């Protein structure tokens, strides 16, 4: 079919999102063709180059076809033509898969005559069940299968290890697909829970969550919040009071947990989750897999990113890239759509962390403009507020009994989480927890109450307001007013709360996109980047991704302050050096921090360096951050001789940190210079 014979046809549909199109017009679409309701009918046999766009002009479908049948109705309600497809782009093919999969649950659109609708192949039947009344149906994504499997070396897993649930995706036949993790083939997430059972065996996912109510002290949830955190940090100490399991320090001073009288690092437990996802993907695809892209909150610091890499290594994964979760979401949203320079805000409120990032998307090229977040703000905090509210239904003595019982407290938290989820759809829900507590005489007390959405919103309003404040600060850091945004994407399980959506829309004064799956987008975006890395290895074009530094990096100075070396929102990769004047034989300890505060101790301690000068002069200490946010340090003496440096990452006591700051340079003693090539991080110059 030559292009000169094609009749161009562009159709603007009265729908805002792909989901609305699927629900209202999906009955007119099949893999083989589409019924176009129009009075401008073309003759049968006409070759057409068509493009369907949404109400805002966003491309929906594009391809070529031939008019197979026409229909004219005097009233105009059934006039139109059936177009048989001859060529489609990859995005349109993916959309057709979703339409066919949702057939049984989609409300009927303007119906064509039965004989005019191109019939789908006999084997393709609607898989998902109809949505529950009142529940918004999320997009249905195709799933990975063994018959579609590629060479194992070319498959890069996209892994989203979330605070609450974890998912994995791969790239197959031109699109990212979720890997089913359950025997039913329709379960795509496993609970991010690890437990040590009575026999000393680790169990993961659903089996571990089942142990949570019976043995909470040996069951770890919310581990992502603790990953790469210093056990002595103020935030971890606060969290330790809220978790039923015992939080301790591992040999390096990082957060660990004590299970059945043994200490395990959080890295080890996260590795068990990653290994479970890897093995599930291998079983589905029927091949050995090792390569992966792992996702982290954009606000993760260098130490946390290093901990995620270590967890991947323990799980037997070759980690190709650490990807920020908002960037993964933007990739999942824009990949293959051919968008023309869209500025997107990704508001990511998950189970344990909150990120807000502004990204510019042009085609498949993604550039982060500004980012920020809070690593201790998420759905778990909402659950705590609801649990506290439910406890108020009991007497003070009964509440004291609950606090003494880890099992009773966990049952309250579990009931709170279920009530919170229900109130995303309902105005009122009943909470009934038999034998929630006991009276002084030992008789049981049931917790039975009605919880309203209004009460939920009242006790969690300050948490939602905090996310708005962080979002506002992110926009201000990028010099952007809300009006500069083209799209707003809300992801993360807690973002489904009506109050969250309402406050974000009120602040930004613009509608929110609903055509991104709040739960699946991160894993899908990671799979897209993994595929792009494979393409680049073959010399082919792939997505372009440019990140920024989420929080400043600097050194402690005398007086307790932090002298910034690299600023927030510095484009990555980045490198900068500082010059430290030292006399021959003089040693100097330098503490490295990451965070927004001007006071060193209010930021995250990354480690320390011991500098020794062989001769008098200046030592140039160079800091560099890789494209995925990892810090590397190197140094050079006055002669230009360079040496690698490694941070001594074991956590320091208060006395040692005070000594480090006492020895540190005074503010202004160091001056910025050019950098050098960076490789690793340990001791500087001594014996070199």
């Amino acid at each position: 079919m030559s292009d000169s014979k094609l009749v161009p046809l562009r159709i603007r549909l009265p729908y805002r999102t792909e989901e609305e199109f699927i629900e209202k017009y999906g009955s007119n679409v099949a893999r083989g063709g589409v019924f176009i309701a129009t009075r401008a009918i073309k003759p049968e046999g006409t070759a057409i180059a068509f493009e369907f766009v949404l109400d805002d002009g966003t491309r929906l479908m594009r391809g070529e076809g031939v008019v197979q049948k026409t229909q004219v109705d005097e009233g105009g309600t059934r006039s139109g033509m059936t177009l048989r497809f001859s060529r489609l782009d990859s995005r349109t093919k993916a959309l057709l898969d979703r339409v066919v999969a949702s057939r049984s649950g989609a409300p009927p659109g303007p119906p064509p005559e039965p004989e005019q609708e191109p019939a789908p192949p006999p084997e393709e039947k609607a898989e998902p069940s109809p949505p529950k009344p009142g529940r918004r149906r999320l997009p249905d994504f195709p799933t990975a299968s063994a018959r579609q499997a590629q060479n194992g070396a070319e498959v890069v897993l996209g892994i989203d290890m979330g605070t609450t649930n974890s998912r994995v995706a791969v790239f197959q036949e031109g699109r990212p697909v979720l890997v089913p993790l359950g025997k039913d083939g329709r379960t795509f997430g496993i609970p991010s829970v690890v437990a040590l059972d009575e026999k000393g065996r680790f169990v993961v996912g659903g089996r571990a969550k089942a142990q949570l109510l019976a043995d909470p002290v040996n069951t770890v949830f919310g581990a992502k919040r603790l990953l790469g955190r210093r056990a002595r940090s103020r935030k971890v100490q606060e969290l330790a009071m809220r978790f039923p399991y015992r939080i301790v320090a591992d040999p390096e001073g990082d957060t660990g947990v004590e299970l059945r009288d043994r200490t395990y690092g959080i890295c080890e437990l996260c590795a068990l989750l990653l290994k479970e996802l890897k093995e599930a993907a291998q079983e589905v695809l029927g091949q050995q897999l090792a390569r992966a892209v792992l996702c982290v909150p954009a606000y993760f610091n260098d130490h946390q990113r290093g901990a995620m890499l270590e967890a991947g290594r323990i799980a037997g994964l070759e980690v190709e890239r650490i990807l920020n979760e908002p960037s993964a979401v933007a990739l999942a949203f824009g990949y293959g759509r051919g968008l023309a320079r869209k500025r997107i805000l990704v508001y990511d409120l998950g189970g344990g962390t909150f990120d807000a990032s502004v990204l510019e998307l042009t085609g498949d090229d993604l550039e982060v403009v500004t980012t920020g977040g809070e690593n201790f703000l998420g759905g778990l905090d909402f659950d705590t507020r609801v649990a506290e509210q439910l406890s108020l239904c009991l007497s003070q003595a009964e509440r004291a009994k609950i606090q003494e019982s880890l099992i009773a407290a966990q049952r309250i938290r579990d009931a709170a989480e279920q009530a919170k989820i229900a109130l995303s759809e309902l105005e009122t829900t009943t909470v009934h927890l038999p034998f929630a507590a006991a009276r002084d005489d030992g008789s049981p007390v049931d917790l039975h109450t009605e919880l309203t959405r209004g009460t939920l919103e009242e006790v969690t309003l300050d948490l939602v307001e905090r996310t708005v404040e962080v979002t506002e600060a992110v926009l201000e850091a990028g010099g952007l007013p809300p009006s500069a945004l083209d799209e707003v994407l809300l992801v993360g399980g807690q973002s489904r709360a009506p109050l969250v959506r309402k406050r974000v829309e009120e602040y930004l004064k613009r509608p929110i996109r609903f055509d991104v799956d709040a739960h699946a987008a991160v894993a899908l975006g990671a799979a897209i980047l993994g595929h792009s890395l494979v393409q680049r290895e073959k010399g082919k074009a792939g997505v372009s991704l440019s990140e920024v530094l989420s929080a400043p990096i600097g050194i402690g100075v005398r007086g307790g302050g932090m002298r910034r070396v690299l600023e927030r929102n510095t484009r990555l990769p980045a490198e900068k050096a500082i010059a430290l004047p030292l006399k021959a034989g003089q040693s100097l300890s330098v503490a490295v921090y990451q965070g927004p505060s001007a006071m060193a101790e209010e930021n995250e301690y990354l480690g320390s360096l011991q500098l020794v000068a062989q001769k008098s002069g200046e030592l140039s200490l160079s800091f560099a951050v890789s494209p995925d946010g990892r810090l590397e340090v190197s140094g050079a003496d006055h002669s230009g001789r360079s040496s690698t440096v490694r941070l001594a990452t074991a956590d320091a006591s208060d006395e040692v940190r005070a000594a480090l700051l006492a020895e540190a340079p005074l503010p202004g003693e160091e001056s910025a210079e050019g950098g050098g090539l960076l490789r690793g991080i340990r001791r500087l110059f001594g014996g070199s």
Side-chain angles (χ1 to χ4, degrees):
M1 184 184 301
S2 66
D3 292 343
S4 61
K5 296 181 180 179
L6 294 172
V7 176
L9 179 64
R10 189 172 189 267
I11 300 172
R12 183 182 292 272
L13 298 166
Y15 308 129
R16 290 178 54 195
T17 66
E18 289 184 11
E19 183 184 9
E20 187 179 1
F21 165 77
I22 292 172
E23 292 185 353
K24 296 182 178 179
Y25 205 80
S27 60
N28 297 322
V29 181
R31 290 195 196 277
V34 61
F35 177 80
I36 302 174
T38 178
R39 295 186 183 183
I41 298 172
K42 308 298 181 185
E44 293 181 7
T46 302
I48 291 177
F50 69 90
E51 183 179 53
F52 284 32
V53 299
L54 295 173
D55 189 50
D56 64 357
T58 301
R59 179 166 61 83
L60 187 67
M61 298 171 62
R62 180 189 292 169
E64 298 173 5
V66 177
V67 177
Q68 186 180 40
K69 290 185 180 181
T70 61
Q71 175 180 325
V72 179
D73 183 271
E74 292 182 359
T77 59
R78 303 178 72 85
S79 295
M81 54 189 177
T82 298
L83 186 70
R84 174 69 67 177
F85 299 141
S86 59
R87 186 161 62 182
L88 302 171
D89 64 11
S90 60
R91 172 169 172 74
T92 302
K93 292 177 182 178
L95 178 60
L96 294 178
D97 287 337
R98 292 174 52 199
V99 171
V100 171
S102 66
R103 185 81 70 200
S104 66
E113 289 294 326
E115 67 272 12
Q116 287 185 310
E117 183 179 3
E123 70 274 12
E124 297 185 305
K125 302 195 182 287
E127 295 179 2
S129 57
K132 296 179 180 180
R135 182 179 291 275
R136 181 177 63 86
R137 182 158 44 133
L138 295 171
D140 293 312
F141 291 98
T143 60
S145 63
R147 67 176 181 272
Q148 295 174 317
Q150 299 166 284
N151 181 336
E154 295 184 350
V155 177
V156 180
L157 302 174
I159 295 181
D160 171 22
M161 192 194 76
T163 304
T164 307
N165 291 288
S166 297
R167 293 171 178 80
V168 60
V170 295
F171 197 94
Q172 290 184 340
E173 296 193 345
R175 64 194 174 203
V177 293
L178 292 172
V179 175
L181 303 175
K183 294 181 179 179
D184 59 359
R186 297 294 298 171
T187 301
F188 303 113
I190 63 169
S192 300
V193 184
V194 177
L196 191 64
D197 67 15
E198 294 178 347
K199 297 181 180 180
R201 299 173 303 190
F202 278 109
V203 291
V204 180
R207 289 181 299 161
K209 190 172 183 179
Q211 180 178 306
L212 184 57
L213 293 179
D215 189 10
V217 72
N218 292 304
T219 306
V220 180
F221 62 93
K224 185 176 178 180
R225 276 190 154 186
L226 305 172
L227 181 65
R229 286 286 181 181
R230 303 298 188 184
R232 296 174 57 258
S233 72
R234 178 175 56 85
K235 283 289 188 179
V236 169
Q237 292 300 310
E238 291 174 359
L239 283 177
M241 305 298 293
R242 292 161 48 183
F243 284 128
Y245 49 86
R246 186 168 178 234
I247 294 177
V248 297
D250 71 8
E252 293 297 318
D254 285 344
T255 303
V257 295
E258 186 177 288
L259 306 176
R260 304 195 188 279
D261 299 323
R262 281 194 59 186
T263 297
Y264 297 91
I266 294 296
C267 263
E268 297 176 75
L269 304 185
C270 289
L272 292 172
L273 280 168
L274 295 175
K275 185 178 179 182
E276 183 81 4
L277 296 171
K278 169 191 170 184
E279 291 178 350
Q282 289 180 160
E283 184 175 351
V284 171
L285 298 176
Q287 57 189 296
Q288 293 295 309
L289 303 171
R291 304 176 68 184
V293 171
L294 302 183
C295 294
V296 298
Y299 212 59
F300 257 27
N301 61 41
D302 170 72
H303 199 58
Q304 291 171 293
R305 291 169 189 268
M308 180 63 83
L309 281 172
E310 178 64 11
R313 185 195 64 78
I314 296 172
L317 293 170
E318 299 173 15
V319 182
E320 303 292 334
R321 180 75 183 263
I322 295 290
L323 176 63
N324 290 341
E325 290 165 4
S327 299
V329 171
L331 284 176
F333 168 72
Y335 181 77
R337 300 179 68 171
L339 300 179
R341 197 169 180 78
K342 291 276 189 179
R343 185 174 289 149
I344 301 167
L345 169 68
V346 176
Y347 172 108
D348 185 357
L349 183 58
T353 60
F354 171 67
D355 283 328
S357 294
V358 177
L359 313 96
E360 288 187 352
L361 189 62
T362 305
D364 291 335
D365 296 334
L366 185 67
E367 183 175 311
V368 180
V369 177
T370 177
T371 190
E374 195 161 310
N375 286 335
F376 294 95
L377 177 59
L380 291 177
D381 302 293
F382 286 72
D383 296 344
T384 298
R385 294 292 179 83
V386 178
E388 292 170 350
Q389 182 66 28
L390 293 178
S391 296
L392 294 178
C393 300
L394 304 172
S395 70
Q396 185 173 352
E398 291 162 353
R399 291 199 298 272
K401 291 283 187 180
I402 288 177
Q403 292 174 356
E404 294 172 0
S405 170
L406 293 175
I407 293 178
Q410 184 55 46
R411 291 182 68 210
I412 295 285
R413 280 192 291 267
D414 190 63
E417 180 187 11
Q418 297 305 315
K420 178 195 72 174
I421 293 172
L423 290 174
S424 291
E425 306 293 340
L426 306 171
E427 292 293 335
T428 304
T429 188
T430 300
V431 180
H432 183 208
L433 194 61
F435 309 112
R439 299 184 179 91
D440 290 337
D441 61 5
S443 59
V445 177
D446 290 358
L447 191 159
H448 196 290
T449 187
E450 295 289 319
L451 188 65
T452 67
R453 182 184 291 177
T455 300
L456 168 66
E457 294 181 347
E458 180 181 348
V459 300
T460 59
L461 177 61
D462 64 310
L463 300 177
V464 177
E465 290 301 322
R466 177 58 185 149
T467 70
V468 174
E469 291 170 4
V470 171
T471 302
E472 184 176 16
V474 167
L475 292 177
E476 289 178 354
L480 299 170
S483 59
L485 303 173
D486 296 311
E487 304 287 359
V488 179
L489 310 180
L490 264 60
V491 293
Q494 192 57 51
S495 72
R496 298 180 64 187
L499 178 61
V500 169
R501 296 177 182 273
K502 177 184 176 183
R503 283 296 295 120
V504 172
E505 284 191 330
E506 286 176 349
Y507 165 60
L508 297 174
K509 295 181 174 57
R510 61 188 312 103
I512 294 167
R513 296 290 297 243
F514 292 105
D515 52 348
V516 174
D517 191 312
H519 300 289
V522 172
L524 294 169
I528 291 170
L529 180 60
H531 169 70
S532 177
L533 296 175
V534 172
Q535 292 296 97
R536 290 187 179 277
E537 290 172 359
K538 298 178 179 179
K540 299 180 181 180
V543 300
S544 172
L545 175 61
S546 175
E547 297 275 10
V548 297
L549 186 64
S550 61
I553 293 175
I555 63 172
V557 295
R558 271 177 263 177
M562 184 181 88
R563 177 64 178 263
R564 295 184 179 184
V565 178
L566 290 166
E567 294 286 348
R568 172 188 179 184
N569 287 335
T570 298
R571 187 146 308 283
L572 303 180
E575 182 177 351
K576 190 175 181 181
I578 55 174
L580 303 177
L582 291 177
K583 297 179 181 179
Q586 180 185 358
S587 66
L588 179 66
S589 296
V590 177
V592 181
Y593 294 86
Q594 185 169 12
S597 177
M599 300 305 297
E601 284 298 302
E602 293 178 1
N603 297 317
E604 191 72 14
Y605 171 70
L606 300 182
S608 61
L609 306 168
Q610 185 71 29
L611 310 180
V612 180
Q614 302 300 312
K615 297 180 180 180
S616 297
E618 287 189 335
L619 297 180
S620 177
L621 193 61
S622 185
F623 292 70
V625 183
S626 68
D628 54 4
R630 294 304 322 281
L631 172 65
E632 296 180 332
V633 181
S634 68
D637 61 15
H638 64 284
S639 66
R641 181 178 52 182
S642 64
S643 177
T644 58
V645 185
R646 181 172 296 171
L647 290 171
T649 55
D651 199 12
S653 66
D654 292 338
E655 293 77 11
V656 171
R657 290 196 190 184
L660 288 172
L661 292 176
E663 293 182 14
L666 287 168
E669 282 185 350
E670 63 275 12
S671 58
E673 288 188 352
L677 186 63
L678 305 166
R679 281 282 182 261
I681 311 181
R682 193 141 283 295
R683 191 190 307 269
L684 178 66
F685 299 120
S688 62

